[in-house]
Amino acid sequence: MTVVQLTKSLQAWKTQGFEGVLKKELGALGAAELPLQAGLRQGSHVSDSGFSVVLLGASESGGYLHVKTGIFYSSVIGGCSCADDPTPVSELNEYCELRLDIDAQTADATIVLLSDL
């Protein structure tokens, strides 16, 4: 579980710009601050090539915004990286879903990997 601040997303809640603000704010966090490594299915390390966010749903209850997102990203299979290694480094497509629970008062957000894919 990861905890971050999503102040701009909270401020944009119930506006037409919410999805764009959320995507931008999550993108600014970077892959290292999201539980993407735990969501790998093919590779052994999350690639530095970035990721894209898809908003799957959002609701509000009990003082929290509950947001479900899909994350498309890439991974690599770590090798020895020797000069004579015949295996080229290629990126593998990855996908995982995350649940964000954003506190409506503080903008503290817990991010949890949903593993039921």
Side-chain angles (χ1 to χ4, degrees):
M1 178 173 52
T2 304
V3 179
V4 297
Q5 281 279 308
L6 296 177
T7 306
K8 293 176 183 175
S9 296
L10 177 62
Q11 292 170 346
W13 177 241
K14 294 187 179 179
T15 71
Q16 290 182 347
F18 174 72
E19 183 174 359
V21 171
L22 177 72
K23 288 179 179 183
K24 188 173 182 178
E25 201 163 31
L26 287 178
L29 291 176
E33 295 184 74
L34 300 174
L36 301 182
Q37 183 70 32
L40 292 176
R41 301 254 186 236
Q42 300 181 64
S44 58
H45 301 287
V46 174
S47 169
D48 293 332
S49 64
F51 60 92
S52 63
V53 179
V54 177
L55 178 62
L56 300 175
S59 63
E60 183 177 13
S61 69
Y64 286 87
L65 307 181
H66 305 286
V67 181
K68 184 175 178 181
T69 62
I71 309 291
F72 290 94
Y73 62 110
S74 298
S75 67
V76 295
I77 297 174
C80 72
S81 298
C82 300
D84 61 348
D85 185 358
T87 309
V89 175
S90 60
E91 293 188 341
L92 304 166
N93 293 325
E94 299 280 356
Y95 174 79
C96 68
E97 293 181 355
L98 304 177
R99 186 188 76 232
L100 294 73
D101 296 315
I102 306 170
D103 186 304
Q105 298 297 315
T106 65
D108 288 342
T110 57
I111 303 175
V112 178
L113 173 69
L114 299 176
S115 58
D116 297 337
L117 296 178

